[in-house]
Amino acid sequence: MDEEPERAKRWEGGYERTWEVLKEDEFGSLKATVEEILFQSKRKRALESHGQVRLGMMRHLYVVIDSSRTMEDMDLRPNRLKATLKLMEAFVEEYFDQNPISQVGLITTKNKRAEKLTELAGNPKKHLAALKKARDAACVGEPSLYNSLNLAMQTLKHMPGHTSREIVVIFSSLTTCDPANIYELIKTLKSLKIRVSVIGLSAEVRVCTVLTRETGGTYHVCLDESHFKELLMFHVKPPPANAQSECSLIRMGRCAHVCFSQTLKHSQTHLDSTSEVGLSLGGYFCPQCHAKHTELPVECKICGLTLVSAPHLARSFHHLFPLEAFRETPLEELPADRFCHACQGKLKDKIVFTCPFCSGVFCTECDLFIHDSLHCCPSCINSQHSN
Amino acid sequence: MSGDRYELNLLVIVMDVNPIWWGQQAQREPEFTLSKCLDAVMVMGNSHMAMTTTNRLAVISSHFQDSHFLYPCKNWTGGDGAWDGTMDEAPYCGDGKYELLSVANNVVAEEMKRVMSTTEMKGNSTDTLLAGSLAKALCCILLQKIVTFFSAGQEMKSRILVIKTAEDCARQYMNFMNVIFAAQKQNILIDACVLDSDSGLLQQACDITGGLYLKIPQKIALAQYLLWVFLPDLEQRPQLVLPPPVHVDYRAACFCHRNLIEIGYVCSVCLSIFCNFSPICTTCETAFKIQLPQMMKSKKKKLKQSI
């Protein structure tokens, strides 16, 4: 386990003179420097792109949330557990927005045991309801890393080979109580190609370092709440696929929604839940066996066909065809009085962005919007169309 | 809508000005030409602006290869001054009409004339560029949201109304879907008023963002339909009985034959859709693992001995 050289720790390096970054202008104000720093941090996220790497689109992700005694610590407001649960709700929504055909499951660990909060499912409603209910839970005892990883592994090892199997652990305690040797479990996880990442809330723990290094995940310790959010949102993007993962053709059925159906049918998905009323008017019918389901994407319980709708697949297309980053040009190089091609606003910033393909000029806000949400250049659509 | 602060509502109208379709239309039905359509649209725009002082309007024309902002126009005021209320250079109308409305009408008419006469025809495609206009509309809405948030501290709600005439262009499917998802994230409604043939893309857009889709049976009555169906904003729509939602055909087309299929095979790497199993994906050229049926061990049968 110790063959790879350890990373140099931060205190072993030289001193970092952080006070030299801030420079005052002639009036003594720091406004320009602060704006510059904010601007750089906004751009940093937009510039990371995987290029031509194959991404794992269909993901099965388990999130393990530590619910032990240390989560009652109040260094994150109001306490660590509530802050984590709130960020998890945002994470679940964002996750299903970026990966519509993937699934997520939740596990909590406390009192030396691990418990599944929700099963792996493709629809966010159940997860959000479970997260809201978990806010009132008490934090007792010690977490068990072995038990939670084992529980996740039991389900993940049956998943088909073309999907990516991931576990994200939010670990705040410095200790763990395991019934068996965790290094054996790490070997098993590695052989099953399960990628484990850890987000630490207290300090770096050696066993987590080894775990993430062996399975190919990432390990970060959060500094404050915004850093925690950033680390969590990092896992929303699809990771590069393993070289050994199999590619296969998946049989899927495409469903159209039928509104106001004439007969009330008992929906298949309601057979399991006891809290909802069993009858509903509209729904989705499986094209193979015509069983009725209330939500998509789902696997039909009768015939086993995966059911999706076309927008679900279309949402993932922007990962496959990512937009190139725009070139930065200073405003002085352009002829005076130019307007942003997208929003028609006057260009006031010092730096403007030019698309390398169509030479369209955009302001900072439009550039951020184009790269974050739109994923296509408005002027390029015009030039593509005329060809 | 009483209260100290009115809500800001921005309506962006995207008009399809495909010259080929409008030229054919002028020969088919001379009573309904582009100028009549523009009149109807401006009636709707004026009504929207007249409802409250804080309502705003923008008009974009969607042509073959480009889309232009008809109102507010930067050539006229040299910036985004139309919404700041700088009316000093406005052409004086003289008939007592509310200045904002007369200015809007004149500017739209002038710009439309300019756009139609100066745009050159390149290539031989006959479809209009809706995805590009919608993308520009979204960026414009975003800019206005930021400007009003910082200057007046108010939130701004917005929606887009698309008036479509020509056929759909299949090539802009992906860009179109990207634009729709971006609009859904920003909570911007997309309504569609279709004059000629049904458009599957716009049906999906309206379904995903929560807007209204309507195919108009009689084109001459365009103003009526616009005012009755599309003028009320989001809060008032539940109180009205509006046209029922259409059945959206979400079936996708397979990549090999372009047939619409219900059950198909999806490549796990590039998400392309096929109707039949094939060992190699044609888009990303990955070889698939074929699951072979398991070999059953044959049981030895005991021969019955004839006695």
Side-chain angles (χ1 to χ4, degrees), chain A residues 124-347:
Chain A
K125 285 190 221 125
K126 281 197 208 119
H127 302 303
L128 293 174
L131 284 170
K132 284 197 169 61
K133 242 175 58 174
R135 279 195 192 174
D136 308 320
C139 309
V140 285
E142 276 195 43
S144 173
L145 199 54
Y146 184 96
N147 284 340
S148 41
L149 289 178
N150 203 19
L151 185 59
M153 192 181 75
Q154 297 301 327
T155 322
L156 283 181
K157 72 180 177 194
H158 295 297
M159 289 298 139
H162 56 78
T163 57
S164 81
R165 307 164 181 163
E166 300 162 46
I167 305 178
V168 169
V169 184
I170 300 180
F171 203 60
S172 102
S173 151
L174 294 172
T175 58
T176 169
C177 187
D178 300 333
N181 188 359
I182 198 168
Y183 290 102
E184 295 297 325
L185 186 68
I186 294 178
K187 278 204 198 112
T188 322
L189 286 171
K190 192 170 170 184
S191 66
L192 287 173
K193 297 190 203 114
I194 298 179
R195 186 184 298 189
V196 183
S197 298
V198 181
I199 299 178
L201 298 184
S202 305
E204 183 178 352
V205 176
R206 170 116 180 104
V207 71
C208 294
T209 315
V210 174
L211 170 65
T212 51
R213 196 179 58 207
E214 292 295 314
T215 53
T218 56
Y219 182 27
H220 294 281
V221 176
C222 77
L223 297 169
D224 53 24
E225 193 152 340
S226 50
H227 189 219
F228 185 19
K229 185 169 182 179
E230 204 183 294
L231 290 176
L232 199 54
M233 292 304 162
F234 175 71
H235 291 284
V236 165
K237 280 197 305 243
N242 284 330
Q244 301 96 351
S245 65
E246 305 153 4
C247 331
S248 48
L249 276 182
I250 314 153
R251 197 145 177 271
M252 284 192 181
R254 204 136 288 101
C255 279
H257 186 92
V258 176
C259 318
F260 318 117
S261 59
Q262 298 298 331
T263 54
L264 292 179
K265 268 191 176 180
H266 193 92
S267 164
Q268 290 306 119
T269 54
H270 285 151
L271 282 175
D272 297 328
S273 70
T274 48
S275 56
E276 301 171 43
V277 179
L279 299 171
S280 58
L281 269 179
Y284 301 92
F285 291 99
C286 166
Q288 205 171 44
C289 64
H290 292 285
K292 186 177 168 202
H293 299 267
T294 45
E295 52 194 23
L296 285 186
V298 79
E299 204 176 286
C300 177
K301 286 199 171 64
I302 308 289
C303 60
L305 185 64
T306 316
L307 302 172
V308 293
S309 75
H312 286 133
L313 291 179
R315 264 187 220 268
S316 318
F317 282 153
H318 69 87
H319 290 298
L320 300 166
F321 307 104
L323 187 62
E324 295 233 354
F326 289 166
R327 266 197 326 254
E328 295 183 24
T329 37
L331 185 58
E332 294 87 28
E333 285 181 17
L334 300 168
D337 243 21
R338 281 281 288 268
F339 292 92
C340 167
H341 279 203
C343 61
Q344 315 294 316
K346 206 162 178 186
L347 290 171

Side-chain angles (χ1 to χ4, degrees), chain B residues 89-240:
Chain B
E89 305 117 31
Y92 181 59
C93 190
D95 61 356
K97 202 157 54 164
Y98 180 28
E99 263 195 49
L100 183 62
L101 304 184
S102 65
V103 153
N105 292 344
N106 291 341
V107 166
V108 168
E110 290 290 324
E111 282 301 310
M112 180 66 93
K113 272 191 253 179
R114 195 181 63 86
V115 162
M116 296 302 275
S117 49
T118 55
T119 312
E120 285 172 24
M121 306 278 291
K122 276 182 278 192
N124 42 10
S125 59
T126 53
D127 321 309
T128 33
L129 194 55
L130 217 45
S133 330
L134 285 177
K136 281 197 183 171
L138 284 182
C139 292
C140 165
I141 289 176
L142 194 73
L143 177 74
Q144 286 306 310
K145 249 196 203 169
I146 295 173
V147 164
T148 53
F149 191 70
F150 279 121
S151 63
Q154 285 168 305
E155 296 288 327
M156 191 177 81
K157 285 205 190 147
S158 34
R159 55 195 166 103
I160 302 179
L161 167 63
V162 177
I163 299 182
K164 189 160 198 322
T165 54
E167 300 273 331
D168 266 344
C169 174
R171 271 170 295 161
Q172 47 176 344
Y173 174 76
M174 212 170 67
N175 294 328
F176 205 85
M177 297 307 278
N178 281 335
V179 169
I180 295 174
F181 294 132
Q184 192 206 14
K185 248 206 219 167
Q186 303 274 326
N187 287 331
I188 296 174
L189 287 183
I190 298 183
D191 295 323
C193 178
V194 173
L195 297 183
D196 198 9
S197 44
D198 266 323
S199 152
L201 287 177
L202 275 178
Q203 280 177 348
Q204 286 188 24
C206 297
D207 195 41
I208 291 175
T209 55
L212 270 171
Y213 176 89
L214 184 65
K215 179 171 183 315
I216 294 190
Q218 285 153 312
K219 300 196 211 26
I220 314 175
L222 177 64
Q224 264 176 256
Y225 286 108
L226 287 180
L227 286 176
W228 286 358
V229 179
F230 293 108
L231 186 60
D233 59 8
L234 192 55
E235 283 107 24
Q236 292 151 12
R237 282 185 192 184
Q239 296 162 5
L240 302 168

Side-chain angles (χ1 to χ4, degrees), chain A residues 9 25 37 43 50 66 73 115 158 167 187 207-208 214 243 282-283 303 349 353 364:
Chain A
K9 303 288 179 194
D25 60 10
I37 293 176
R43 288 282 299 156
H50 292 282
D66 182 0
D73 208 3
E115 190 187 305
H158 295 297
I167 305 178
K187 278 204 198 112
V207 71
C208 294
E214 292 295 314
C303 60
D349 310 316
F353 297 92
T364 326

Side-chain angles (χ1 to χ4, degrees), chain A residues 67-68 108-115 137-144:
Chain A
S67 303
S68 62
T108 55
T109 165
K110 64 177 159 198
N111 237 349
K112 306 171 195 161
R113 293 188 196 90
E115 190 187 305
C139 309
V140 285
E142 276 195 43
S144 173

